Amino acid sequence: MTTILSIQSSVAYGHVGNSAATFPLMRVGCEVWPVLTVHFSNNTSYPSKKGPLLRPEDVHDVVEGIDELGVLPRVDAVLTGYQGAPAMGAEILKVVELVKERNPQAVYCCDPVMGDVGRGMYVLPGIPEFVRDNVVAAADILTPNHYELNFLTGREAATLDEVIEAAHALREVGPDVVLVTSVVTEEADPDTVTMVAVNSEGAWSVTTPLLGRNFTGSGDLTSSMFLAALLESGSVADAVGRTADVVYSVLERTTMLDQRELALVAAQDDLVNPRHHFEVARVR
């Protein structure tokens, strides 16, 4: 059974961070050990929130306690998303190093949550530079959106070819696999959105209809489903296709139900048997 150590935020109400990743990962058959970086009442898109921002020392203590049980060698992957502050990011890198000491076959999947088109950077100052200068090199799998890809590479990738080249530029720094989400290019139909996955063997894309609204937590769902699919199949092409099918099906169900938060429970069967299927194209 695949085991994932997921170090992310948590909310009591709604679905972001570990609250968007843990249940879907379990539903598709993964064992998940969630480690929390914050525990808020709700996500930060609401007018207010309450709850503790946990310290790097808290994450250290939780992981140290797991390690003392002698079970870290079971971990197949570390998954991270929003990192809060550079100090938390530095602690997460120490955890990744420890996990890889216990299991050299373990991989690190990082969703470099920083910003998006229309919103700009929405993380604390210093986080984007920390991710660019420290995290990218440590990751085995990186899942930036198009906006984050541009920042991390210092490029403005406007075409599919430019997105692929930028993804390969990231691969030269560290990760073997790069999944670029929310790709919108000059040549694309404006009513669609594309994901592009790149590794040493090539590049693949899959395009889905644009649903015309924002979904908080969709990136967390995407990175978790891509990691699970990649660990299961070992195929980047299969993983990006599976991810598109699952995520679109969940988002479409959420839209149908007119819910603000991801309808993960109502759409749980879509996590295993998605209602929608999209063709994967080899583009390089």
Side-chain angles (χ1 to χ4, degrees):
M1 181 178 294
T2 298
T3 299
I4 296 172
L5 183 71
S6 183
I7 310 173
Q8 301 195 57
S9 60
S10 176
V11 292
Y13 174 79
H15 301 291
V16 298
N18 264 331
S19 302
T22 301
F23 172 69
L25 283 169
M26 289 180 171
R27 188 66 174 80
V28 300
C30 297
E31 184 72 56
V32 186
W33 300 346
V35 177
L36 310 185
T37 56
V38 307
H39 185 53
F40 291 158
S41 55
N42 49 269
N43 75 64
T44 58
S45 71
Y46 290 88
S48 65
K49 69 177 189 313
K50 290 190 176 182
L53 180 68
L54 301 179
R55 306 169 303 162
E57 302 95 292
D58 297 322
V59 170
H60 170 84
D61 288 347
V62 170
V63 175
E64 183 177 63
I66 297 172
D67 189 36
E68 288 175 356
L69 299 176
V71 296
L72 276 186
R74 298 184 197 171
V75 174
D76 298 294
V78 177
L79 173 64
T80 66
Y82 173 68
Q83 301 200 3
M88 181 64 77
E91 183 60 41
I92 288 171
L93 290 181
K94 292 178 184 177
V95 172
V96 171
E97 184 177 0
L98 175 63
V99 169
K100 290 192 171 190
E101 286 179 5
R102 301 294 186 257
N103 177 12
Q105 303 304 312
V107 298
Y108 174 31
C109 178
C110 173
D111 181 9
V113 178
M114 297 180 292
D116 206 347
V117 173
R119 296 182 63 187
M121 292 294 184
Y122 50 73
V123 295
L124 292 177
I127 278 287
E129 294 78 13
F130 180 84
V131 172
R132 180 192 63 200
D133 299 338
N134 299 275
V135 178
V136 172
D140 300 290
I141 305 164
L142 198 72
T143 64
N145 62 33
H146 196 158
Y147 177 88
E148 292 158 346
L149 174 78
N150 286 344
F151 171 79
L152 292 173
T153 60
R155 306 182 182 200
E156 290 296 327
T159 68
L160 182 59
D161 282 342
E162 289 172 347
V163 168
I164 294 170
E165 291 304 320
H168 277 302
L170 284 181
R171 290 188 61 253
E172 291 176 1
V173 177
D176 177 58
V177 177
V178 176
L179 172 70
V180 188
T181 64
S182 303
V183 174
V184 177
T185 60
E186 294 173 348
E187 67 266 45
D189 181 337
D191 293 324
T192 64
V193 65
T194 298
M195 286 194 290
V196 178
V198 176
N199 72 353
S200 60
E201 298 175 356
W204 296 265
S205 72
V206 58
T207 298
T208 62
L210 187 65
L211 289 168
R213 53 162 289 191
N214 293 323
F215 299 90
T216 305
S218 59
D220 304 315
L221 176 64
T222 299
S223 59
S224 64
M225 293 297 92
F226 181 74
L227 174 60
L230 186 60
L231 290 173
E232 179 181 8
S233 71
S235 165
V236 170
D238 289 349
V240 69
R242 178 72 178 177
T243 301
D245 294 350
V246 168
V247 172
Y248 181 82
S249 295
V250 171
L251 299 187
E252 192 257 357
R253 180 66 63 89
T254 302
T255 302
M256 287 174 54
L257 296 172
D258 194 27
Q259 291 192 11
R260 176 170 178 169
E261 298 287 345
L262 297 180
L264 294 180
V265 175
Q268 62 179 286
D269 290 344
D270 286 314
L271 299 169
V272 180
N273 295 301
R275 290 169 293 116
H276 298 275
H277 175 70
F278 303 93
E279 294 299 321
V280 177
R282 180 159 193 154
V283 290
R284 185 69 66 84

